[in-house]
Amino acid sequence: MTDLSGALTQAISAWVADPESDVEYSEELEGRWAVRMRQSVRSATTVWWTVGDRSIIAEAYVLPAPLSNQAEVYRLCLLRNHRLWRCHFALDREGAVVLTGRLAASEVSAESLDLLLGEIYEAVELSFRPLAMMAFSDPRKEQPPKD
């Protein structure tokens, strides 16, 4: 186990063991860690952690590719990115909105991992509902009635 893997494993164990934590579950799958945390705006968010040679990457799925108001959804993501420090909104290969963050090996500590997880949690709490409402609103309801 590398130092990065050890630091991540210890942080995850602490999150799961802490009764005050919103982390309710973790599992190692195919070389990555899945950490599931309760949220108030939706039932849960899973953060996928990948340990590399020189960094640890975290990624959380926020919502599928927008069906409507794509420009507004992407604009809100970019505006929210301006306030984020450790993670940012991005698009995955299918166009889904995700949050992703990266810690260089020299930055990895229990505190920095905790701060990154907390920022992902907060970004989902603040952004999920407005993004989902914009991305999946019925465009027919937004147009004024015709006389």
Side-chain angles (χ1 to χ4, degrees):
M1 182 182 308
T2 67
D3 290 342
L4 295 178
S5 293
L8 180 60
T9 302
Q10 286 178 347
I12 291 170
S13 295
W15 297 332
V16 172
D18 181 358
E20 299 288 316
S21 171
D22 286 311
V23 173
E24 58 187 12
Y25 172 80
S26 70
E27 181 179 10
E28 188 174 8
L29 297 167
E30 300 175 7
R32 299 188 315 159
W33 279 94
V35 173
R36 185 175 171 89
M37 54 185 175
R38 290 181 299 278
Q39 300 261 195
S40 63
V41 296
R42 62 184 191 185
S43 61
T45 295
T46 300
V47 180
W48 289 93
W49 299 85
T50 306
V51 177
D53 293 333
R54 294 181 286 264
S55 65
I56 294 179
I57 297 169
E59 183 174 287
Y61 181 87
V62 179
L63 56 99
L67 297 179
S68 59
N69 302 311
Q70 290 90 354
E72 290 85 0
V73 170
Y74 300 148
R75 183 178 189 280
L76 180 56
C77 288
L78 289 172
L79 288 170
R80 298 282 166 106
N81 277 348
H82 186 67
R83 294 186 177 161
L84 295 171
W85 182 260
R86 295 166 188 87
C87 65
H88 60 273
F89 285 97
L91 301 178
D92 71 5
R93 291 182 186 146
E94 288 82 36
V97 176
V98 298
L99 280 160
T100 186
R102 180 185 312 253
L103 292 172
S106 61
E107 300 172 335
V108 173
S109 66
E111 181 181 11
S112 64
L113 291 165
D114 194 53
L115 289 170
L116 177 53
L117 182 68
E119 188 165 299
I120 290 170
Y121 176 92
E122 183 178 34
V124 171
E125 285 291 309
L126 295 174
S127 303
F128 177 73
R129 284 189 179 137
L131 288 172
M133 288 175 62
M134 276 190 269
F136 304 105
S137 65
D138 185 350
R140 295 171 294 187
K141 292 181 182 177
E142 295 173 12
Q143 296 177 9
K146 295 182 180 178
D147 291 340

